[in-house]
Amino acid sequence: MNQPEQASAGGQGGAHRLAINLLVAVAYCLLAALSARLRDPVSGLMPMWAPMGLATFALLHGGIRNLPGVLAGVTASALLAGHGVVGTLFHAAGQVFAPWLCAALLRRYAGRSEDLIERTDGALKLLAFIYLSAVPSAAASVAGSVLGQGLPAARWLEQGSALWLSDALGTLVSLLPLLAWSSGRPFAQLRKRAFEQLLVVGGLLGLLAVSFSGVTLFPDPMLQLYMALPLVVWVALRFAPRVGWSAFLIASLTALAGTVSGTSPFSPHSMQVQLLVLHGLIMLTAATALFIGAAMSEKQAARRALRERESHFRALTLLSSDWHWELDADLRYHRLPDELTGVHFGDAELDGCAPWEIPGEEALTLPWGMLRQTLERHEAFRDFLSRRRDGNRWRYLASSGEPVFGASGNFSGYRGASRDISAEMQAREALREEEFRLRALVDALPELIVLKDRHLRWRLANRALLDTRCLKKTAWLGATSEELAAYLPSMTEVLRRHHAIAEEVARTRRPYEGEEVLDLAGNDPRTYEVSVIPLSDDDGEFTGLVSVRRDVTALREAIRLQAEKVDNVRLQNDELERRVGERTVALESAIKELEAFSYSVSHDLRAPLRALDGFSRLLVEDYGDLLDEQGREYLSRIRRNSQRMGELIDDLLELSRVSRAEVRRTLINLSDFARDIARELEAEAPERRIQWVIPEGLWVDADPGLARVVLENLLRNAWKFTRLQPQPCIELGQAPVGGQTGYYVRDNGAGFDMTYVGRLFAPFQRLHNNREFDGGGIGLAIVQRAIRLHGGQVAADGVPGQGATFSFSFGASGSDAVTTG
């Protein structure tokens, strides 16, 4: 290639890498935005950080070439999140180092990326490295929060663990689908069993969507999650990884969104507990599906390898003859072919050597001594196995021979053939190892699991089932459930029913779901959920079924107790509603009596007071000359007290009216109200000169009548207590009260002692001499009642001789207060 062609190729490669890095950066920001959308609005917890998985995938496949895209995406997402300079630096360092570490460990110890989801050892390393690499990212983020935002030490562990789980879960949720879709498997696999995939995956996603959207199909919402486990196992056993991990991604996002929005089955608990439980469920589901899928992939690979090796072995057998050998009368080799010595025995010199004298050769079928006795008795032998070490592997040899006799009948030696069965033995060993792994996985499950072949005969039962009383001493392998019924009289009906269910599943090829009560331990009946799943080969032929029984006794008991509690609560609610109704009727009666009393006070008590005041006035006017000074003073006191009594009655009626008022909020202008009240006060005492400070545009959402009552009482109170000031000043303003939009009325009048502020808003409680400042002591009580009807707050602050400030708010409303200049 000449220099222009090399430059063109280099430019194309640079443009390709630039496009890949740009794509990685944009995808990282989009996943960061998706993760931020799932943040809990109350606690601020973020259940997952999905970009970690994308960064790990990019560095795993592209290595250092994709590092600029990862770095750009990390930095951009951190800046958009507003972490600050220090927080951005630490967050970016952790989010770059963690996926790089995970990718490096996976490339170093896990081999091909396909092995991560298709081999059990690769799956184990994948899970371990994901959670290990999440540690430095969480630590860096915590350090950034400490240095940039002053995170207290008491919260380091809490925030670090939350970030660790978030990064690990995000990597797990996003990396597995990317690995599945990047594998080299043909897309034609997706079309196999398309209807079954649509049905099962749709049912699984629909069940999870219903469960995490707050819809309950069963008395206990957790039962819906348990119903999803057979479907997860079904997907892992039957479908391609692309289908399974795509469904896992959608299901995880559905569960996380439902949990954050507060509609998950765990909603009665705190958000931290919900996210911790959900993280555990997603991790366990992913681990279960990952190991089951990897075990199935290894099993299929082992089967393919075994078929290939068997085909190769058959071809070799057909195309070439076995190695032939001969022993002389002394049972020593002669005429040994070079092929046998070169392939199996290497450079060893075998001529003149007996079989048991060959260095490094081990007898497997019989000890060498017994083979020697067979040869000395001149008997034939078949498929005698021996082996020898060839480097890091074993080579196996199967030999068969017959004695050779001369024409006179004398023994002349042995003639036989040997064949190398190393490939067959290795395939058998691999298959046994795979079966051991699968058996160990099945034995670890707490459910009762039975695997049956196409003839419905038992081929595998896990440890949980074998440990029960019914099968401990029964020869179950190769028997059907109906045949086992003859050996287990106490389980006859149960086993026959199981056999009938298995026949129905084998006939219809449809799964069975049900529930039954079994006594497998003796006098301990338990409730089990039953799932029977048919199995088929790649051609759709029925090959057997898997029966899974899950103990739900405790769950059913919990449902029963919950139902009893619900019934008790319902009864208590009915009783409470009855009592509330009775109290409501009594309260309405008391209110009517109070209204009647108020009318009596208003009508019946005013008449005597008016008569008392009127006749006292007539005595003064008509007979004042007949009375001395002391008599006229007595009549004057009678008039003043009768008028005082009338004022007190008016105050009581006003307090009662305000207490029973119904609040009808609307947007009103306090400034206009204050100016109207100020004009009324100035008209009552034109001789007074006072400075009013009333700003423009104090708008508030409140009841107009009650708001005017509040403002009029406070302004009249200030007007009254500034009477003795040479330069009186009354101010209306705006200031927060208890976290709400509030207002205040301030004066420079007589003030009060804060020691007695608790008595200020009580009816008829006065802190000043009545001779100096008249009044009934009811105005501030009316203010407090009106403010409480709005759900607001009122407070007072004063200094004797320097004035007082009364602050108040009208509570929360549909619209906030607006202040315009």
Side-chain angles (χ1 to χ4, degrees):
M1 183 182 295
N2 53 32
Q3 291 183 356
E5 292 175 344
Q6 291 178 351
S8 177
Q12 293 177 356
H16 178 71
R17 286 196 297 271
L18 178 61
I20 293 297
N21 280 278
L22 181 61
L23 179 62
V24 169
V26 172
Y28 192 101
C29 292
L30 292 177
L31 287 179
L34 175 62
S35 299
R37 290 282 296 177
L38 295 176
R39 183 190 302 272
D40 177 39
V42 178
S43 62
L45 296 176
M46 186 180 298
M48 63 173 286
W49 186 249
M52 278 274 290
L54 173 65
T56 303
F57 177 78
L59 296 176
L60 178 63
H61 281 268
I64 199 70
R65 295 191 302 273
N66 293 340
L67 185 60
V70 173
L71 184 59
V74 169
T75 305
S77 64
L79 291 175
L80 292 175
H83 290 305
V85 177
V86 177
T88 298
L89 292 176
F90 276 87
H91 177 77
Q95 293 295 318
V96 171
F97 176 76
W100 174 84
L101 175 63
C102 185
L105 292 174
L106 290 175
R107 286 199 303 270
R108 174 66 176 82
Y109 296 104
R112 302 179 306 124
S113 60
E114 291 83 0
D115 294 341
L116 299 177
I117 58 175
E118 295 182 358
R119 293 181 59 87
T120 52
D121 55 346
L124 179 61
K125 293 174 182 177
L126 175 63
L127 292 175
F129 293 157
I130 284 177
Y131 280 87
L132 177 63
S133 62
V135 174
S137 66
S141 298
V142 171
S145 299
V146 172
L147 298 178
Q149 303 175 6
L151 183 69
R155 294 191 57 199
W156 291 359
L157 181 60
E158 175 188 355
Q159 183 164 343
S161 60
L163 292 173
W164 174 62
L165 293 177
S166 172
D167 291 347
L169 181 60
T171 305
L172 192 68
V173 169
S174 57
L175 180 59
L176 290 174
L178 290 173
L179 290 174
W181 281 96
S182 65
S183 64
R185 299 297 181 187
F187 282 87
Q189 291 183 350
L190 298 178
R191 294 193 294 270
K192 290 184 178 180
R193 298 187 288 270
F195 179 75
E196 181 183 354
Q197 293 180 21
L198 181 62
L199 183 64
V200 176
V201 174
L204 175 61
L205 296 180
L207 180 61
L208 291 176
V210 167
S211 300
F212 284 91
S213 62
V215 179
T216 56
L217 302 178
F218 298 93
D220 187 355
M222 290 298 296
L223 182 60
Q224 298 171 200
L225 299 183
Y226 288 115
M227 295 292 292
L229 183 58
L231 298 178
V232 172
V233 176
W234 193 342
V235 171
L237 287 173
R238 299 274 293 166
F239 303 151
R242 287 169 178 154
V243 176
W245 291 119
S246 298
F248 169 74
L249 174 62
I250 299 174
S252 300
L253 293 177
T254 302
L256 291 170
T259 301
V260 171
S261 63
T263 57
S264 74
F266 320 115
S267 56
H269 303 283
S270 65
M271 184 56 65
Q272 290 184 344
V273 174
Q274 292 185 55
L275 294 179
L276 182 62
V277 173
L278 185 59
H279 178 277
L281 288 177
I282 294 178
M283 188 273 291
L284 290 177
T285 302
T288 301
L290 189 62
F291 282 107
I292 291 178
M296 293 300 297
S297 298
E298 287 182 343
K299 186 175 182 179
Q300 293 174 0
R303 287 178 176 175
R304 289 194 299 267
L306 181 59
R307 286 195 294 267
E308 292 174 0
R309 290 174 182 174
E310 287 178 349
S311 176
H312 180 67
F313 181 75
R314 292 193 195 98
L316 291 178
T317 302
L318 294 174
L319 295 175
S320 62
S321 61
D322 293 339
W323 297 313
H324 297 278
W325 47 265
E326 292 184 5
L327 298 180
D328 58 18
D330 296 329
L331 303 179
R332 298 183 179 276
Y333 281 114
H334 71 99
R335 296 183 183 178
L336 193 65
D338 295 338
E339 292 85 355
L340 180 60
T341 58
V343 173
H344 185 77
F345 295 107
D347 298 333
E349 184 63 37
L350 302 183
D351 283 340
C353 184
W356 48 86
E357 295 176 351
I358 301 174
E361 191 73 10
E362 298 180 8
L364 297 180
T365 307
L366 296 172
W368 287 119
M370 296 184 66
L371 177 64
R372 182 174 183 177
Q373 293 176 9
T374 300
L375 297 180
E376 289 175 348
R377 291 195 300 268
H378 305 161
E379 297 176 355
F381 63 94
R382 293 287 182 270
D383 295 326
F384 177 81
L385 299 182
S386 62
R387 70 176 183 179
R388 66 183 296 110
R389 174 72 69 177
D390 182 13
N392 59 352
R393 58 181 295 213
W394 289 96
R395 301 198 67 89
Y396 294 86
L397 197 66
S399 303
S400 300
E402 293 183 351
V404 177
F405 297 93
S408 59
N410 60 319
F411 174 73
S412 60
Y414 269 84
R415 182 183 296 118
S418 297
R419 55 191 175 93
D420 190 348
I421 61 170
S422 300
E424 180 182 352
M425 296 297 292
Q426 290 169 3
R428 290 179 181 177
E429 184 66 25
L431 183 58
R432 284 195 296 269
E433 183 178 354
E434 181 61 30
E435 290 177 350
F436 172 77
R437 291 180 180 177
L438 182 59
R439 180 56 188 261
L441 179 62
V442 174
D443 281 343
L445 298 176
E447 289 80 5
L448 309 181
I449 300 176
V450 176
L451 175 65
K452 298 181 181 181
D453 59 18
R454 67 178 68 235
H455 304 295
L456 305 182
R457 298 187 178 276
W458 288 38
R459 292 303 175 190
L460 184 146
N462 70 333
R463 181 60 55 190
L465 180 58
L466 295 179
D467 287 342
T468 59
R469 176 181 60 85
C470 61
L471 289 179
K472 282 186 175 180
K473 299 180 180 179
T474 305
W476 53 268
L477 184 62
T480 65
S481 297
E482 192 172 28
E483 292 171 349
L484 288 175
Y487 300 97
L488 297 170
S490 61
M491 301 290 292
T492 300
E493 293 299 327
V494 173
L495 291 172
R496 287 179 178 174
R497 184 172 66 252
H498 292 177
H499 188 70
I501 293 173
E503 287 181 334
E504 180 67 17
V505 172
R507 183 181 63 83
T508 62
R509 306 291 198 273
R510 295 178 180 175
Y512 169 82
E513 300 287 343
E515 189 173 291
E516 63 182 2
V517 178
L518 299 177
D519 185 5
L520 302 179
N523 298 324
D524 185 20
R526 312 289 293 177
T527 303
Y528 293 90
E529 279 185 355
V530 183
S531 299
V532 183
I533 303 173
L535 303 177
S536 59
D537 56 18
D538 295 338
D539 298 327
E541 294 295 327
F542 177 75
T543 58
L545 56 84
V546 174
S547 174
V548 180
R549 283 170 173 79
R550 184 179 305 104
D551 189 345
V552 295
T553 305
L555 179 61
R556 292 294 180 269
E557 181 64 18
I559 293 174
R560 185 186 65 80
L561 294 176
Q562 183 68 22
E564 292 180 356
K565 291 181 180 179
V566 170
D567 292 339
N568 291 334
V569 171
R570 186 180 296 110
L571 293 175
Q572 293 175 2
N573 287 340
D574 294 342
E575 177 64 20
L576 182 59
E577 289 179 359
R578 185 186 63 79
R579 293 183 179 180
V580 169
E582 294 176 353
R583 297 290 176 85
T584 302
V585 172
L587 182 59
E588 291 176 350
S589 176
I591 291 175
K592 291 180 180 179
E593 292 178 359
L594 179 61
E595 291 175 350
F597 173 75
S598 299
Y599 176 79
S600 175
V601 170
S602 167
H603 185 270
D604 298 339
L605 296 184
R606 286 179 183 272
L609 289 176
R610 284 195 299 269
L612 186 62
D613 180 59
F615 282 113
S616 299
R617 180 175 56 80
L618 290 175
L619 282 175
V620 173
E621 293 177 354
D622 298 340
Y623 302 98
D625 296 337
L626 301 179
L627 298 175
D628 58 8
E629 186 64 26
Q630 188 174 7
R632 286 193 295 272
E633 175 64 21
Y634 289 160
L635 287 176
S636 176
R637 288 186 181 183
I638 292 174
R639 290 197 64 193
R640 285 198 302 271
N641 281 283
S642 63
Q643 292 171 359
R644 175 65 177 161
M645 177 68 74
E647 293 174 357
L648 290 177
I649 291 173
D650 292 338
D651 290 342
L652 282 174
L653 291 176
E654 178 67 14
L655 180 62
S656 175
R657 185 187 64 81
V658 170
S659 300
R660 299 195 309 271
E662 182 179 356
V663 178
R664 299 182 183 274
R665 289 179 179 266
T666 186
L667 197 62
I668 59 176
N669 192 336
L670 286 183
S671 302
D672 293 344
F673 281 8
R675 279 189 287 272
D676 291 343
I677 296 170
R679 282 192 291 269
E680 293 175 2
L681 293 174
E682 289 176 347
E684 293 175 4
E687 73 281 359
R688 291 191 60 183
R689 293 294 181 264
I690 193 165
Q691 180 184 0
W692 296 94
V693 180
I694 302 175
E696 295 289 338
L698 293 181
W699 293 88
V700 65
D701 188 13
D703 183 278
L706 294 178
R708 185 176 181 89
V709 168
V710 169
L711 204 57
E712 184 169 3
N713 276 280
L714 292 178
L715 292 177
R716 283 188 176 277
N717 200 57
W719 172 273
K720 176 173 59 178
F721 286 104
T722 55
R723 181 171 57 81
L724 302 180
Q725 286 291 332
Q727 295 181 345
C729 178
I730 301 175
E731 178 184 358
L732 173 65
Q734 184 178 22
V737 177
Q740 300 176 350
T741 302
Y743 307 87
Y744 65 86
V745 172
R746 180 181 298 132
D747 64 71
N748 61 347
F752 61 89
D753 190 348
M754 289 295 291
T755 306
Y756 308 104
V757 71
R759 298 167 47 192
L760 201 59
F761 295 98
F764 307 116
Q765 295 291 325
R766 294 176 49 80
L767 303 185
H768 296 85
N769 193 322
N770 198 32
R771 295 190 183 93
E772 269 190 315
F773 303 102
D774 58 352
I778 201 70
L780 293 181
I782 293 175
V783 169
Q784 187 182 56
R785 297 285 177 88
I787 292 296
R788 286 182 177 178
L789 286 175
H790 284 79
Q793 302 177 33
V794 61
D797 184 24
V799 177
Q802 299 183 20
T805 301
F806 291 88
S807 304
F808 58 96
S809 68
F810 290 97
S813 61
S815 60
D816 296 326
V818 180
T819 303
T820 59

